[in-house]
Amino acid sequence: MSDRAALLKGIRAWLVFFVVCLVLSGATAFPLVHELRWTEDLLHALSAGEYLPGLTDWIERVRAGLDEADAEYPFLLYGTDWLAFAHLVIAVAFYGPYRDPVRNIWVVEFGMIACAGIVPLALICGPIRGIPFWWSVIDMAFGVLGVIPLYVVRQRIKRLEALTVPAAATPALGG
């Protein structure tokens, strides 16, 4: 396998990994009410309250809030549907770099900027919305962890770009 083919295969594998994570992250925003009930049940079954009382209390509070919103104000949950949809749409954008990484490196860089933007969003909006700091740290971890595969992809795209010789730069044969 040539260096170019190996780089392209690696780029695509990292992109598929990133897109799968993005889709899973987005898809979990649709069934929030049910997920929180399952999570609360699991935490109680594991007696997590003994070891992680802050987490258990927070999950119970969020579940109660979601139950109330679902029962009395279900239109509020429409916002999480749009959050999920945004994840799916962004995931589709990564088809461009999958198909032509060098030409569409900007999508990868856009993704890196979006990952970086998670940190100030969590630090600013978390306290405004009453989110515990430790939960904001978990949210920020998505940005920090998300940028890693994108950074690897960007580095590989730059190496692929260096291997790709533009047609105008090749000398004319026979002349």
Side-chain angles (χ1 to χ4, degrees):
M1 180 181 301
S2 71
D3 287 345
R4 187 178 194 296
L7 276 172
L8 190 57
K9 184 177 180 179
I11 289 166
R12 287 179 172 165
W14 278 103
L15 285 170
V16 166
F17 170 74
F18 182 78
V19 165
V20 166
C21 291
L22 192 58
V23 167
L24 290 174
S25 176
T28 61
F30 285 118
L32 280 180
V33 174
H34 301 293
E35 286 173 342
L36 263 292
R37 287 180 190 150
W38 298 331
T39 302
E40 186 179 21
D41 290 344
L42 178 65
L43 289 174
H44 288 297
L46 296 173
S47 301
E50 296 176 32
Y51 310 102
L52 301 167
L55 173 65
T56 304
D57 292 346
W58 175 247
I59 294 299
E60 288 173 359
R61 182 171 185 223
V62 173
R63 194 253 331 128
L66 283 173
D67 281 348
E68 183 174 341
D70 190 36
E72 300 294 325
Y73 314 101
F75 52 86
L76 291 174
L77 297 177
Y78 191 50
T80 62
D81 296 336
W82 280 105
L83 170 69
F85 178 71
H87 278 75
L88 302 177
V89 169
I90 292 167
V92 170
F94 283 90
Y95 177 69
Y98 183 90
R99 210 178 95 239
D100 188 346
V102 173
R103 183 173 171 201
N104 293 297
I105 192 172
W106 69 270
V107 176
V108 174
E109 293 168 342
F110 165 80
M112 293 172 75
I113 292 167
C115 286
I118 291 171
V119 174
L121 178 81
L123 289 173
I124 294 167
C125 295
I128 291 171
R129 301 290 185 205
I131 306 297
F133 179 72
W134 58 267
W135 194 266
S136 293
V137 171
I138 292 170
D139 289 338
M140 289 184 281
F142 281 94
V144 172
L145 295 175
V147 81
I148 293 169
L150 295 178
Y151 178 77
V152 170
V153 166
R154 186 180 184 283
Q155 294 301 104
R156 291 181 180 203
I157 291 173
K158 287 296 188 180
R159 288 200 314 243
L160 181 64
E161 183 179 36
L163 289 176
T164 305
V165 180
T170 56
L173 296 177

